[in-house]
Amino acid sequence: MQFIDLAKQQSLIKANLDKRIQDVLAHGKYIMGPEIKEMEAQLAEYVGVKHCVSCSSGTDALLMPLMAWDVGPGDAVFTTPFTFIATAEVIQLLGATPIFVDIDPKTYNISPELLDVAINQVFEKGELNPKVIIPVDLFGLPADYAAIELISKKYDIKILEDAAQGFGGQIDDRKAGSFGDAASTSFFPAKPLGCYGDGGAIFTDDDELYEKLVSVRVHGKGGDKYDNIRIGLNGRMDTLQAAIVLEKFTLFPNEVKLRNEVAAKYNELLSDRVVIPEVENGYTSVWAQYSILAKDADDRANLQSKLKEAGIPSAVYYPKPLHQQTAFNHLDYQDGDFPVSEEMSQRIFSLPMHPYLEVSDIETICGVING
Ligand SMILES: *Cc1c(COP(=O)(O)O)cnc(C)c1O
């Protein structure tokens, strides 16, 4: 059994995928070829925003809007410590200060109540300038944007939605990628919509931000590549990868449905031996991961080794919250600063999740866990 089975998906689209790749080899426009614009147009329409700017990875998709907003030394950027390193790495990379805010124990997403407190504290202290909030749509579930948008208005701070895991999720009829001032996603192969390498995209309704992102993407270009009006990146996505996303995207809306069916089956079959994920009314998760809670770290180790004996892979996202990572030692956080993230990092683990997981496999997995 595989944790994520990409081969099954490929077998469904192999002929068209080959054709898409051959088309790129035939026209030879490997950099910013026509598939780039075609993909950007389709994804912007799906998300329901004006602009999509493709780029080299989900990490650069987070970095580029921060660069466009001139985030740098003296600025505070608020995010969760219970996420992949990239979310906070880009803040530090620009010389700004990551301010961590603990998560809600039910959704694993940033707690709006604690966010309000944290922003207020930074204003009171007066040392840093609160500039951006980066909520993460962890495991595919959008963060609480109704509450976060109110906070962003109250303090006049921007929101950058980290939808690397969230693309395909929604709140009521608003799609992930449409929240905040801009949103970032990743096409890393294991994400809900992946390519066959690295890639990412930024979504926004803001025309001025769009112009800046297009410039940042190619070395801060002005009128052309040899007129440089700001410091930028080589942040482009390959034409070949866009061709692959385009073909995979034909399956995507159905795959979101299938992922939800897999999650529903897990929810139905797992006993209260473990804590299953909760999705509040109005929210749709894209189930980038199906994550459950064991009683404690020993219980988790025990369940994971039982799964392993049965040939079932499992994974821990995330074993160490970011405030406890060596790379962030200089921020002087202490153990105990973010008790919910710390507890979850001891108890959480993720089960195999992909659109083509068979019911019989789900039954086997749940049988092992229920014991
Ligand atoms: C994967 C991921 C990223 C980074 O995406 P890459 O394409 O690997 O650079 C950023 N944030 C979150 C929450 C992720 O899961």
Side-chain angles (χ1 to χ4, degrees):
M1 202 183 301
Q2 287 194 299
F3 194 66
I4 295 175
D5 187 345
L6 292 171
K8 248 178 216 166
Q9 179 195 52
Q10 190 183 89
S11 71
L12 298 176
I13 50 169
K14 186 66 170 61
N16 289 340
L17 205 51
D18 284 344
K19 170 147 194 332
R20 277 280 186 188
I21 293 168
Q22 290 307 319
D23 286 350
V24 176
L25 301 192
H27 68 54
K29 299 189 178 84
Y30 304 120
I31 303 290
M32 298 304 282
E35 284 80 1
I36 293 285
K37 275 227 163 347
E38 189 184 346
M39 181 195 78
E40 290 174 342
Q42 284 193 19
L43 298 186
E45 194 197 337
Y46 176 81
V47 166
V49 297
K50 230 166 136 181
H51 305 290
C52 168
V53 178
S54 63
C55 64
S56 39
S57 68
T59 305
D60 283 349
L62 290 164
L63 181 63
M64 288 164 58
L66 298 182
M67 289 172 76
W69 289 331
D70 291 319
V71 169
D75 293 332
V77 180
F78 300 82
T79 193
T80 152
F82 199 59
T83 178
F84 183 54
I85 180 78
T87 315
E89 186 178 36
V90 294
I91 303 167
Q92 189 66 54
L93 201 55
L94 293 173
T97 304
I99 307 277
F100 294 121
V101 176
D102 212 351
I103 54 171
D104 178 291
K106 288 215 162 73
T107 63
Y108 314 123
N109 284 330
I110 195 166
S111 155
E113 291 76 25
L114 297 175
L115 175 63
D116 194 329
V117 172
I119 296 173
N120 209 10
Q121 273 174 357
V122 172
F123 270 115
E124 302 248 296
K125 243 181 161 183
E127 287 167 6
L128 296 168
N129 174 29
K131 200 123 179 213
V132 184
I133 306 162
I134 311 184
V136 177
D137 302 337
L138 201 73
F139 304 145
L141 181 71
D144 183 355
Y145 289 101
I148 297 167
E149 281 170 358
L150 284 178
I151 294 169
S152 101
K153 285 206 180 76
K154 175 172 164 191
Y155 295 105
D156 191 22
I157 306 180
K158 290 193 187 307
I159 300 173
L160 173 59
E161 174 189 1
D162 184 348
Q165 300 178 17
F167 187 87
Q170 58 192 72
I171 305 176
D172 298 323
D173 52 9
R174 262 182 86 182
K175 287 263 181 2
S178 72
F179 300 104
D181 299 272
S184 308
T185 198
S186 163
F187 304 125
F188 184 80
K191 309 284 174 168
L193 178 63
C195 57
Y196 289 156
D198 280 306
I202 303 145
F203 299 94
T204 186
D205 278 321
D206 179 340
D207 296 335
E208 192 187 322
L209 176 63
Y210 171 74
E211 295 302 327
K212 285 185 182 166
L213 290 171
V214 166
S215 165
V216 167
R217 176 166 66 181
V218 185
H219 303 291
K221 73 179 167 115
D224 64 59
K225 189 169 156 185
Y226 302 105
D227 171 34
N228 310 101
I229 57 175
R230 60 172 61 79
I231 294 299
L233 300 169
N234 173 357
R236 294 170 300 234
M237 182 168 170
D238 294 346
T239 307
L240 270 169
Q241 297 301 345
I244 286 154
V245 169
L246 276 166
E247 204 46 55
K248 287 214 207 183
F249 190 56
T250 62
L251 297 175
F252 188 70
N254 189 50
E255 288 186 346
V256 176
K257 251 178 57 199
L258 294 174
R259 285 173 175 279
N260 274 282
E261 286 169 20
V262 169
K265 199 76 199 164
Y266 270 132
N267 286 346
E268 178 196 326
L269 295 182
L270 285 170
S271 69
D272 56 10
R273 171 79 186 73
V274 290
V275 178
I276 60 171
E278 265 182 53
V279 175
E280 257 183 86
N281 255 343
Y283 284 73
T284 306
S285 176
V286 66
W287 300 105
Q289 303 294 342
Y290 183 87
S291 304
I292 57 178
L293 295 180
K295 292 183 176 58
D296 53 33
D298 288 343
D299 186 41
R300 177 175 72 186
N302 176 34
L303 286 173
Q304 282 197 283
S305 76
K306 275 185 15 187
L307 288 167
K308 196 171 173 197
E309 275 168 33
I312 300 162
S314 64
V316 175
Y317 303 109
Y318 293 92
K320 199 193 253 188
L322 298 186
H323 68 287
Q324 296 177 321
Q325 296 284 356
T326 310
F328 291 120
N329 273 352
H330 64 281
L331 296 174
D332 279 334
Y333 285 111
Q334 309 300 317
D335 292 351
D337 279 352
F338 304 105
V340 182
S341 297
E342 288 170 31
E343 184 188 334
M344 297 310 160
S345 71
Q346 299 295 306
R347 294 176 59 195
I348 206 159
F349 65 114
S350 305
L351 301 178
M353 167 53 78
H354 60 82
Y356 308 105
L357 194 61
E358 306 274 354
V359 171
S360 58
D361 286 338
I362 304 171
E363 286 168 351
T364 306
I365 297 165
C366 295
V368 172
I369 290 174
N370 294 340

